[in-house]
Amino acid sequence: MLCYWGAQVREGFGLPGEIKHVNDGLNYVCTKSEIQDMSAGRCFVGFIRDGKVSVLKLRTDPSGHDGKLKPLTLKKEKIRSVMCGGSGAVLLSDGGRVFIKDNLFKGLANRYVIQIACGDQHSMALTQNGQLFVWGKNSHGQLGLKELPESGSEIPQHIECLDGVPVSQISAGGDHSFVLSLSGVVFGWGKNSSGQLGLGDTEDRHVPTVVNSLNGKKTQLISCGGEHTATLSKGGVVFTFGSGKFGQLGHNSFKDEHRPPVVAELWGSKVSQVTCGGYHTLVLVESSKKIYAFGCGKQGQLGNGKIINQSVPSPVELTTEFNVEYAIGKLIAGENHSFALFFKVPGSGSTNPQPKQSRRIVTLDDRVIDQWVSECDAKSWKAVKNEINKVFSSAASLNGSFLKSCDKHYQTSVELCGLDLNLIKKSFAKLSVNERVMSEVVKIVQDALLPSLKSSPVSFEALRVYVLLPELIRVCQEQYRAELLHALSSKILQLKPDALKVLENVWSKLPDDCLRGLVKLFRITSAELIDNICLGEMTEQPCLENILQVFQMVNKVCCSTHCNVPSNDFIIHKISDLLDTLQTTLEEIEDAENLQELFMCHFMVDLKDHYVKIIEMLSNFPFVADTASKQRMFTFLQNPNNMIFPLDNALEVNRKSVLEDTLQYLKQDNLSLQYPLKVTFAGENGIDEGGLSAEFFSLLSQSLLTWEKNLLEICENSLVWFNLEHTHKEDFYYLGTICGMALFNRQCMNIDFPLALFKKLLDQRVTLNDLEEISPVEARCLKDLLEEEEEVVEMLYLDFTIKGQELVSNGVQIPVTKINRQKYVDLYVDFIFNKSVMNQFEQFSEGFSKGCPVNAWRMFHPEELRELFHGSPVYQWEELSKCTTYQHCSPSDELIKNFWTVFMELSEENKQKFLFFMYGTNRVPAGGLSKLSLKIVQVNVPDSDDRFPEAQTCFNTLRLPKYTDIDTLRNKLIHAISFCRVFGRQ
């Protein structure tokens, strides 16, 4: 049954059936065949009965009708939806085909359309895979394609920027358009002269724009009028915005609204439908079988018996005689007409209309997966394959799948993806059981889905695919995994910065187990690629680099959110294998002797160069390598081509003037700092195999700390920092150069810089904890300040100054309060470590990079870099015996047993003296004493008890006389390490 009211039309619209006139201008038509659907536009009204369409053209003046109801003849087509716009009717068949009146719309002939919408001058169509097409006029940008002229297009145009958005509904108004996503995100574009887009202004939009003020409102329906818009949220709350000059917004006023306010008069009514006409609005409260209307009523379209405009919802005076048998199914608002379709309720003697086919885009769920896995025999495979293509070729379909239940997906935002992550894991695991299905899924993802992803998604909902796909790739077989992850990583890297930031925010809010799964996927896939490289595969570098770049983003997210994903989870242990492979390759090249081997050598050189490139690339991703691997990488990159260093890169210095001599070399630029140094001491014979360099830098450390220029000052805890009073830039430059040289030559400096220096060198932020390292008392006071009560803070009478320096402009006039104390502390720390030593550090940093020309030092974490520079703070003395070799003796000899007994009995101070005696420095190399080498040579001479042990520092060799007893050995060793400073021997 049809109820209608408003402007005068042909009685009953020419529909066959009984017509009943009721009070207040309401009319009822009990048609012989039930009306399944209808639509009313500015000039046309259309009806669907038994899948067939009839259209009536309305006169533009109020005096009457124009012609009869015209049936549209569509052979073999059952119509399920009709939409009437300003210029005609658009039809949609059960088979997803679009017709303009009774002609197939060829522009969409190859598309399966599920929804259509018509405005006054334009139309829209939504396809099953979530693509939106538009055609018609573009006078105000209502087609959503900025590049189109105002005249628009008669051929359907694809709005590509909405690809990936899981659209649930489309709506077209006078000259504006709206789209609603499955999670309630609202997009509007087109004419906005009255604020009908809800964006807070009256500027037209030529591209889809998110209506941010409706985010989180659980919007489930949108209706567009001539120049106003209404939305309905779950729970029955109505928002209206746009033109209000006829009261069509229902806000008890006739003013426009540029943002969406609630229709307060309907609050608590639980509205179930809302529809906008040209200048009026209808709402349905299904529970009470009441229709409310507001807006323009000059032609009776409000149905309340009054010919006036009304700005608050008023009930339509429906007759009650049909209440038992009929229920209101659908409201339709035309330009000057209103309609209500009634359907008989169950048990009333009439069947309900057949339910329409789904008007939602195709999505993936557990039921569909079960069907695919169980029904993929030869007969059903074609259908299953077609469904797989529909789902996995469409980002919109995947993004609309596996949504959180209980309305939680409506909370989707720039930080929350709205997906049920556990359901995704279970579903994809189930999918992976069937190899045939999984193979087809992989093929479609690789060939269709990934190439379709856009670099600048219009909504955060479109980024769900980047959360879904890793879970899919994780359950793929190994032969597909690397290629798919490479393709996905490439797409992530192509995202615009804003979209990338949203994705990182989404990652940061993932549960720890999901983040760990993501980390594991990238780590395992990277390890597989490195394994292939070790086997000689030379085409994996671009793939590996892309994956590592995204892996680095995941690492950054984990570090910044303090999640429970340990740093060890990022370590790729296969890097150690790659380094071993490179070492073996270098040895094979070096050992090549005959022509055949030399011929093979060319191949090995190419392979070696490839390995070096991979290691250079890996040095840009320090989080994937452990400290030992990074140190090996650093060593390889110092001399990647295994070159023989020039003999003239020697540095001869006098022990008494080591600093002055070194500065002279540096100022005269007589050293090639890109090569390791070869140090000799004036008047001494010795070959520098590392020992002399160690002694050289140890002596330099002492000289720099006692330098009369006082570049460095001793802080609390014996740490050193830059002297603020010393401003001679060149001195700090050479200080940095010497420190860089030590690092490059893999030697330790006995200058205890705080961790903050190494953070600054690596461009990392220093914190209050770093201040605590060099000034515990000062840091403790600042921490107490952050914890004090408000009145205590005010009683301290602090202002934004430090040591007479203002931290901000006019800081002396700004008191520190509970509100601004965190800012004060941050500025305080920044002043200590940054502003106060800006000139000193800039020169030091520049010199450091000069002294260590291999940029790979930046791959170390601050703690690792400090240990590499200072040496390890841990002395595990038993490790020294494990790395010792012997000549003319063995570990079981009494002399050697006595030596280690005496050594282990030495005090900590004397043990460190032994290190200096043996190696020229008492610093332990990064990685511990096991990184040292010690060779003990037994010396057999007649007067052994009269001789002292001798250290050949150049070769890390201890010449140990064969003493007759342990007491003699003890006395001679302690004397040697205490009083003998120079034991260089060739």
Side-chain angles (χ1 to χ4, degrees), residues 704-705 711-713 715 719-724 732-740 742-743 749-767 769-775 829-830 832-834 837-849 857-858 860-870:
L704 286 168
L705 290 171
L711 270 67
L712 302 170
E713 60 179 6
C715 305
L719 298 176
V720 298
W721 191 239
F722 301 120
N723 186 348
L724 276 63
F732 288 100
Y733 173 81
Y734 288 121
L735 172 64
T737 304
I738 291 170
C739 291
L743 183 67
M749 291 286 283
N750 195 9
I751 301 178
D752 289 326
F753 287 115
L755 186 64
L757 175 70
F758 301 96
K759 281 188 172 183
K760 285 171 65 62
L761 285 170
L762 294 168
D763 299 321
Q764 294 187 17
R765 180 174 167 267
V766 290
T767 66
N769 290 334
D770 295 306
L771 180 61
E772 189 169 20
E773 188 181 22
I774 66 169
S775 183
V829 173
D830 179 67
I832 295 294
F833 286 118
N834 298 321
V837 292
M838 182 182 298
N839 294 329
Q840 292 91 332
F841 176 75
E842 284 180 355
Q843 292 301 308
F844 178 89
S845 178
E846 184 180 343
F848 191 89
S849 297
W857 62 268
R858 293 187 175 275
F860 295 102
H861 297 309
E863 296 81 1
E864 294 172 330
L865 187 59
R866 176 165 69 172
E867 183 172 327
L868 203 59
F869 178 79
H870 283 165

Side-chain angles (χ1 to χ4, degrees), residues 332-600:
I332 303 98
E335 185 173 41
N336 299 310
H337 306 86
S338 301
F339 305 86
L341 276 178
F342 287 77
F343 299 107
K344 283 198 173 183
V345 297
S348 62
S350 176
T351 58
N352 287 321
Q354 292 297 315
K356 298 178 183 179
Q357 295 181 9
S358 175
R359 290 164 58 88
R360 289 182 53 159
I361 62 173
V362 62
T363 54
L364 182 65
D365 57 30
D366 214 30
R367 179 191 60 79
V368 173
I369 292 174
D370 285 338
Q371 184 179 344
W372 290 355
V373 171
S374 61
E375 298 181 9
C376 62
D377 54 29
K379 292 182 179 179
S380 60
W381 175 242
K382 185 176 180 180
V384 170
K385 188 175 177 180
N386 185 46
E387 288 180 5
I388 291 173
N389 182 66
K390 286 180 182 177
V391 174
F392 281 96
S393 64
S394 167
S397 293
L398 281 180
N399 288 330
S401 303
F402 305 116
L403 301 183
K404 283 187 175 181
S405 58
C406 302
D407 299 341
K408 290 183 180 179
H409 66 93
Y410 286 111
Q411 299 171 5
T412 299
S413 66
V414 295
E415 294 183 338
L416 301 174
C417 62
L419 294 171
D420 186 334
L421 300 171
N422 289 327
L423 180 59
I424 293 168
K425 288 181 180 180
K426 292 177 182 177
S427 299
F428 284 162
K430 188 185 299 182
L431 194 68
S432 68
V433 171
N434 191 304
E435 188 175 340
R436 189 180 190 185
V437 170
M438 198 64 183
S439 178
E440 186 64 23
V441 167
V442 168
K443 180 178 179 296
I444 298 301
V445 168
Q446 189 168 335
D447 295 344
L449 176 64
L450 288 170
S452 74
L453 299 181
K454 303 297 185 292
S455 62
S456 185
V458 71
S459 165
F460 37 78
E461 267 187 292
L463 292 168
R464 283 179 180 150
V465 69
Y466 296 101
V467 179
L468 279 160
L469 286 181
E471 288 299 327
L472 177 67
I473 296 171
R474 190 174 60 82
V475 298
C476 284
Q477 295 181 4
E478 183 178 335
Q479 65 262 35
Y480 303 128
R481 196 159 50 215
E483 192 171 356
L484 278 177
L485 192 58
H486 174 214
L488 176 62
S489 297
S490 297
K491 285 297 180 179
I492 291 175
L493 295 172
Q494 290 172 14
L495 289 172
K496 300 294 184 185
D498 288 347
L500 204 54
K501 184 177 180 181
V502 172
L503 179 59
E504 289 175 344
N505 282 335
V506 169
W507 282 340
S508 72
K509 299 300 179 181
L510 291 177
D512 285 346
D513 62 325
C514 291
L515 261 181
R516 278 194 291 269
L518 191 64
V519 169
K520 185 177 180 181
L521 171 64
F522 278 92
R523 186 188 70 243
I524 289 176
T525 308
S526 300
E528 290 167 355
L529 290 170
I530 292 174
D531 202 27
N532 291 340
I533 291 168
C534 290
L535 296 174
E537 177 58 58
M538 300 183 71
T539 61
E540 303 282 24
Q541 182 174 350
C543 179
L544 178 61
E545 188 165 12
N546 272 7
I547 290 173
L548 288 177
Q549 283 179 331
V550 179
F551 198 16
Q552 190 173 47
M553 297 176 194
V554 177
N555 175 261
K556 176 184 172 184
V557 167
C558 291
C559 293
S560 62
T561 55
H562 307 291
C563 66
N564 294 320
V565 182
S567 58
N568 284 342
D569 282 6
F570 293 87
I571 301 298
I572 302 173
H573 297 288
K574 284 289 181 181
I575 293 174
S576 180
D577 295 344
L578 177 63
L579 293 165
D580 290 341
T581 303
L582 173 57
Q583 183 63 49
T584 302
T585 305
L586 289 170
E587 291 171 358
E588 290 177 358
I589 293 172
E590 189 175 343
D591 292 342
E593 293 180 357
N594 55 49
L595 288 175
Q596 185 176 356
E597 289 177 337
L598 288 173
F599 177 78
M600 249 330 259

Side-chain angles (χ1 to χ4, degrees), residues 131-164:
Q131 293 183 332
L132 184 63
F133 292 85
V134 292
W135 65 95
K137 301 292 183 182
N138 195 40
S139 54
H140 296 276
Q142 59 264 47
L143 296 188
L145 295 165
K146 196 171 185 178
E147 64 274 12
L148 286 180
E150 290 187 3
S151 58
S153 172
E154 295 181 2
I155 301 172
Q157 302 293 316
H158 178 199
I159 304 183
E160 293 186 6
C161 69
L162 285 171
D163 285 356

Side-chain angles (χ1 to χ4, degrees), residues 555-686:
N555 175 261
K556 176 184 172 184
V557 167
C558 291
C559 293
S560 62
T561 55
H562 307 291
C563 66
N564 294 320
V565 182
S567 58
N568 284 342
D569 282 6
F570 293 87
I571 301 298
I572 302 173
H573 297 288
K574 284 289 181 181
I575 293 174
S576 180
D577 295 344
L578 177 63
L579 293 165
D580 290 341
T581 303
L582 173 57
Q583 183 63 49
T584 302
T585 305
L586 289 170
E587 291 171 358
E588 290 177 358
I589 293 172
E590 189 175 343
D591 292 342
E593 293 180 357
N594 55 49
L595 288 175
Q596 185 176 356
E597 289 177 337
L598 288 173
F599 177 78
M600 249 330 259
C601 188
H602 290 298
F603 169 73
M604 299 300 289
V605 168
D606 290 341
L607 204 54
K608 179 264 299 181
D609 291 341
H610 180 61
Y611 293 150
V612 170
K613 285 181 181 178
I614 297 295
I615 290 172
E616 286 177 342
M617 182 263 290
L618 287 171
S619 71
N620 296 318
F621 305 99
F623 64 96
V624 298
D626 57 28
T627 304
S629 293
K630 279 191 253 189
Q631 290 175 8
R632 293 180 67 191
M633 290 162 65
F634 185 59
T635 301
F636 277 124
L637 295 176
Q638 283 178 292
N639 185 21
N641 296 314
N642 206 29
M643 295 172 56
I644 298 174
F645 297 121
L647 297 176
D648 60 351
N649 198 42
L651 176 64
E652 183 178 350
V653 294
N654 192 301
R655 287 181 179 274
K656 295 182 179 180
S657 56
V658 63
L659 178 57
E660 292 78 2
D661 293 349
T662 303
L663 290 174
Q664 189 69 19
Y665 271 96
L666 293 176
K667 290 177 181 180
Q668 293 177 356
D669 202 18
N670 288 335
L671 292 173
S672 299
L673 296 181
Q674 66 268 33
Y675 303 119
L677 292 175
K678 293 295 181 182
V679 177
T680 59
F681 289 103
E684 300 177 19
N685 293 324

